[in-house]
Amino acid sequence: MNMRHERISILGLGSMGRALAGALLDAGRDVTVWNRTPGKAGDLLARGAREAPSVAEAIEAGDLTVACLLDDASVREALAPAVPKLAGGTLVNLTSGSSRQARDLAGWLEEHDVRFLAGGIMAVPPTVGTDGAFILYSGARELFDRVAAVLGPIGRPHWAGEDPGAAALYDMAALSAMYGLSAGADHAVALVHADGGDVEKFKREVLRPWMEQTLPIMVAGADVRDSVPDEYNPAMQATGLETMLAFSAEAGVPDERAGHLRASLWAMRRAAAG
Ligand code: FVH
């Protein structure tokens, strides 16, 4: 059978589920969708998708079922009544969760004779299906090879390893880095705004080129031991972070926005103490 012609059922039509279904339809795939709250299929139906009225019927309509729901609990809740229908079939879970949740789900599905790949989406809805998008998968390599051929249109498939928890682990860790950067960028803008600066000019002329210059250094230097190379003197950085925290408070930026500075101060003080 030509894997590209496998029928795909998508559980979940939140903003990510809709983007996944749209990218697969654009690539000519056969797509059935299900959502807990009906009526969210929107233009996907006009573009060729079919809507299933229940999880069980969605599973029956597909050769491959993809779940993209809110969290692990919602996946369990949606699958529990329908899991016998999945026996002998394949589930790919693209719902964010922890590595432990992915391993537990893998164990539960194995008991029900379901082949399983855990996944993590390294994209946001508007970038699904674009060149930069990639999807982490973990589980059996030969299953990954089959699924990669079918789901390629949503993002470049990347196998994280046999351990079902591997994709979730990398996904959670990568999202942590992204939220750290996002918190830092939000705090930077809040400071400029609070002190009467031109936010758009700052973003364009300073923040973006600064982030682009330092991003590779941050990734290369990330270290579990809080070690800081000599040229980045941790005691000097701790003093700088204390100044930034004091300025942030003076400017009236809520303390909760400055949590990333406290995390860095903690790391620099530890590094300085050796
Ligand atoms: N959107 C993003 O930028 C990120 C990018 C990285 C990956 N995440 C993860 O993708 C999962 C889905 O995210 P989403 O953006 O689609 O989320 P929502 O738009 O909030 O839609 C949530 C869907 O989950 C359904 N749902 C919630 N609880 C249940 C339940 N108990 N049983 C069945 N379905 C449930 C919800 O259905 P409804 O509320 O419309 O009835 C939506 O379909 C997520 O893990 C992200 O972390 C996205």
Side-chain angles (χ1 to χ4, degrees):
M1 181 180 187
N2 183 341
M3 301 308 179
R4 287 168 196 281
H5 294 149
E6 286 200 25
R7 298 168 303 153
I8 305 163
S9 291
I10 297 189
L11 307 181
L13 290 177
S15 42
M16 185 50 85
R18 284 198 303 275
L20 300 176
L24 291 167
L25 288 168
D26 288 347
R29 301 293 198 263
D30 179 309
V31 176
T32 296
V33 295
W34 170 84
N35 195 60
R36 176 182 62 174
T37 308
K40 291 205 177 167
D43 73 330
L44 295 171
L45 301 180
R47 292 160 68 188
R50 285 182 292 277
E51 190 168 17
S54 68
V55 176
E57 284 160 277
I59 291 169
E60 279 179 332
D63 302 305
L64 178 68
T65 303
V66 177
C68 188
L69 302 173
L70 180 64
D71 58 7
D72 181 64
S74 56
V75 173
R76 294 297 192 126
E77 191 182 321
L79 290 182
V83 74
K85 297 276 183 202
L86 268 173
T90 301
L91 178 83
V92 177
N93 185 24
L94 298 182
T95 306
S96 300
S98 72
S99 53
R100 183 190 54 73
Q101 288 170 337
R103 290 181 195 118
D104 288 352
L105 186 61
W108 180 65
L109 289 169
E110 195 178 351
E111 285 167 19
H112 289 86
D113 189 29
V114 181
R115 306 222 62 206
F116 174 60
L117 273 189
I121 302 173
M122 296 287 98
V124 290
T127 63
V128 165
T130 64
D131 284 349
F134 64 105
I135 316 292
L136 301 168
Y137 296 96
S138 52
R141 176 73 209 207
E142 48 76 24
L143 183 59
F144 164 76
D145 290 336
R146 182 193 127 201
V147 164
V150 182
L151 297 184
I154 63 177
R156 177 173 51 81
H158 178 92
W159 188 58
E162 293 273 345
D163 168 12
L169 172 62
Y170 292 162
D171 180 47
M172 292 272 108
L175 288 176
S176 169
M178 182 201 74
Y179 279 113
L181 289 176
S182 172
D186 286 345
H187 180 256
V189 163
L191 267 186
V192 171
H193 176 73
D195 209 44
D198 181 334
V199 166
E200 288 311 314
K201 184 177 161 71
F202 166 73
K203 281 164 75 171
R204 188 174 59 249
E205 296 178 10
V206 179
L207 184 58
R208 188 179 175 124
W210 174 239
M211 298 288 272
E212 285 173 352
Q213 183 197 148
T214 53
L215 188 66
I217 300 169
M218 278 190 277
V219 172
D223 193 319
V224 287
R225 291 165 300 156
D226 299 324
S227 70
V228 179
D230 287 347
E231 68 266 34
Y232 303 127
N233 180 357
M236 167 277 290
Q237 295 205 57
T239 302
L241 284 157
E242 284 160 2
T243 305
M244 270 182 257
L245 280 161
F247 173 50
S248 179
E250 250 174 61
V253 175
D255 194 45
E256 289 78 1
R257 276 215 178 279
H260 62 300
L261 296 180
R262 295 197 188 290
S264 291
L265 179 57
W266 173 81
M268 290 305 161
R269 282 181 177 155
R270 269 171 55 115

